[in-house]
Amino acid sequence: MGERKGTNKYYPPDFDPAKHGSLNKYHHSHPLRERARKLSQGILVIRFEMPYNIWCDGCKNHIGMGVRYNAEKKKVGTYYTTPIYRFRMKCHLCVNYIEMQTDPAGCDYIIVSGARRKEERWDMRDNEQVLPTEREEKEKLETDAMFRLEHGVADRAALQRAVPTLASLQEAQNAWKDDFALNSRLRQRFREEKKTLREEEEEAAALQAKAGLSIPLVREAEEDRRLAALLKYHSPDSYEEKQRMKRTEISSRSWFPPAAGGRASEALRKLGLGGRALRGRGGPPTTPAGLGIVRRRSGEGLAEPGGLEQGEATPRSPPAPSSEPQGGGDAGTAPQLPPHAAPPAPATASLVADYSDSSSEAESA
């Protein structure tokens, strides 16, 4: 917009066309304004567009083709009568300056410093592309009849060699000509694959919910299916074997429940004497005297440590073992402490009352 400032319609009162000539001379400014600030050095600031992709040497970043910069344009030489211009611009990503110049001989741009080109050039002969006819060849075709005849023969031979390739390309192009049918088949295949994937996901989700799994399941393979068909899982014991074992256990069980020993048996079991108190006929029955328990009538004193009661001159002999079961004797007789027995221990004193009660109940029975 700065170039249009000199074409305004306002002329100051002191403006003299004969003296000033133009508004730019009146304002002492150049028509190009800031672009011509280095015009005295032969440098003009222009808008330069990057001709190809490059890599900046300062920041190592990629600068794409078509990026525009404010570049300083300067003439540095000529190629025959064609001038060679150099452009100097600052990278927009760093403080590095990039310099490029024209190459009239190769119809290209050359990087002078500050960057390197991203190589994307190729040879048209290597790619088997149609080469443009050179200027000298065009002149010979127009002036030399023999060269034109030879050139025509070479062109027809090249055409015969290219006929099979052209025919295959034409068939491939005709196969893809019906876009609607191809699109319909492609969309149908996509729908079938999507439906199959949805069914597999539903089956996997149902299996995870049934087995309580939280891991993702992979697709089932044919090898896994064959391996699973060869495996057979079964319990160590069948249902009939379990039923037979249960019947055997029931038949071998005793018909009568175990005898309850009452409170005395429970007390003896707690003291660890239950096995000796409940022995069978293989030995003498357990008596309270054998347990260190002393019974006395009211009015009698405690037994002396020597095994003699008060008023006795000689120790009493232990009662003879009887074949009758325990508790079957006379209710009036009391068990006597053997001469070699020690006085009752304090640990068994708390069981005197319980055992006397159980003995009274057994004697009454």
Side-chain angles (χ1 to χ4, degrees), residues 149-224:
L149 180 62
E150 294 175 358
H151 192 275
V153 173
D155 289 345
R156 285 191 292 271
L159 177 62
Q160 293 296 329
R161 291 193 301 268
V163 165
T165 305
L166 295 176
S168 61
L169 293 175
Q170 187 68 27
E171 292 177 359
Q173 185 177 5
N174 293 335
W176 289 88
K177 189 174 182 180
D178 192 358
D179 299 337
F180 178 78
L182 293 175
N183 191 18
S184 299
R185 288 198 297 269
L186 184 62
R187 289 172 62 87
Q188 182 180 1
R189 188 178 66 181
F190 285 165
R191 283 194 296 268
E192 293 176 356
E193 293 179 356
K194 187 176 181 180
K195 183 178 179 181
T196 305
L197 292 176
R198 189 185 298 110
E199 292 177 354
E200 291 179 357
E201 291 177 359
E202 292 177 356
E203 291 179 0
L207 181 57
Q208 287 179 341
K210 181 179 180 181
L213 300 176
S214 60
I215 57 175
L217 302 179
V218 298
R219 279 192 171 185
E220 182 181 356
E222 185 64 28
E223 183 179 357
D224 299 337

Side-chain angles (χ1 to χ4, degrees), residues 30-284:
H30 195 274
L32 299 178
R33 305 291 176 172
E34 293 298 327
R35 292 174 54 194
R37 62 180 181 271
K38 295 184 179 180
L39 198 59
S40 60
Q41 306 174 13
I43 298 174
L44 179 64
V45 178
I46 65 167
R47 195 68 173 167
F48 181 80
E49 184 174 343
M50 195 64 63
Y52 41 74
N53 297 322
I54 64 172
W55 299 93
C56 178
D57 288 343
C59 58
K60 308 301 179 182
N61 286 320
H62 176 265
I63 301 176
M65 180 176 59
V67 180
R68 296 180 180 181
Y69 295 94
N70 292 329
E72 297 178 355
K73 176 183 176 182
K74 180 174 63 174
K75 183 179 178 180
V76 295
T78 58
Y79 176 73
Y80 294 105
T81 58
T82 304
I84 299 176
Y85 293 102
R86 179 171 295 182
F87 307 94
R88 186 173 186 268
M89 66 210 80
K90 181 177 176 296
C91 177
H92 67 286
L93 299 173
C94 63
V95 296
N96 181 47
Y97 280 89
I98 302 172
E99 291 187 5
M100 303 179 68
Q101 72 180 24
T102 58
D103 181 19
C107 300
D108 199 359
Y109 287 87
I110 299 175
I111 298 177
V112 178
S113 64
R116 59 186 178 87
R117 181 171 182 172
K118 183 180 179 181
E119 196 60 46
E120 296 176 338
R121 291 172 290 185
W122 65 88
D123 190 359
M124 299 180 66
R125 293 185 180 87
D126 296 339
N127 294 340
E128 298 182 358
Q129 295 179 344
V130 178
L131 300 176
T133 306
E134 299 293 338
R135 180 178 178 179
E136 295 81 3
E137 190 175 355
K138 287 183 179 180
E139 293 177 355
K140 291 183 69 175
L141 287 174
E142 293 175 357
T143 58
D144 192 347
M146 290 297 298
F147 181 78
R148 184 168 57 251
L149 180 62
E150 294 175 358
H151 192 275
V153 173
D155 289 345
R156 285 191 292 271
L159 177 62
Q160 293 296 329
R161 291 193 301 268
V163 165
T165 305
L166 295 176
S168 61
L169 293 175
Q170 187 68 27
E171 292 177 359
Q173 185 177 5
N174 293 335
W176 289 88
K177 189 174 182 180
D178 192 358
D179 299 337
F180 178 78
L182 293 175
N183 191 18
S184 299
R185 288 198 297 269
L186 184 62
R187 289 172 62 87
Q188 182 180 1
R189 188 178 66 181
F190 285 165
R191 283 194 296 268
E192 293 176 356
E193 293 179 356
K194 187 176 181 180
K195 183 178 179 181
T196 305
L197 292 176
R198 189 185 298 110
E199 292 177 354
E200 291 179 357
E201 291 177 359
E202 292 177 356
E203 291 179 0
L207 181 57
Q208 287 179 341
K210 181 179 180 181
L213 300 176
S214 60
I215 57 175
L217 302 179
V218 298
R219 279 192 171 185
E220 182 181 356
E222 185 64 28
E223 183 179 357
D224 299 337
R225 191 180 295 108
R226 291 197 304 267
L227 182 60
L230 297 176
L231 299 177
K232 183 178 181 182
Y233 298 96
H234 59 84
S235 61
D237 298 330
S238 61
Y239 176 77
E240 293 78 6
E241 185 68 19
K242 290 181 180 179
Q243 292 296 326
R244 189 183 61 79
M245 293 172 62
K246 186 179 294 185
R247 292 192 187 97
T248 304
E249 181 184 358
I250 293 174
S251 61
S252 61
R253 189 184 303 168
S254 177
W255 287 11
F256 303 100
R263 298 173 62 183
S265 301
E266 185 67 24
L268 296 175
R269 188 179 297 109
K270 289 182 179 179
L271 292 175
L273 302 173
R276 288 182 290 172
L278 299 177
R279 285 185 300 181
R281 300 179 181 179

Side-chain angles (χ1 to χ4, degrees), residues 279-335:
R279 285 185 300 181
R281 300 179 181 179
T286 304
T287 60
L291 298 175
I293 301 175
V294 179
R295 295 186 60 187
R296 65 180 180 275
R297 292 188 178 88
S298 60
E300 295 179 354
L302 295 174
E304 295 181 0
L308 297 176
E309 295 183 356
Q310 293 180 0
E312 292 183 353
T314 59
R316 298 180 182 179
S317 59
S322 175
S323 60
E324 297 180 359
Q326 184 179 359
D330 188 7
T333 61

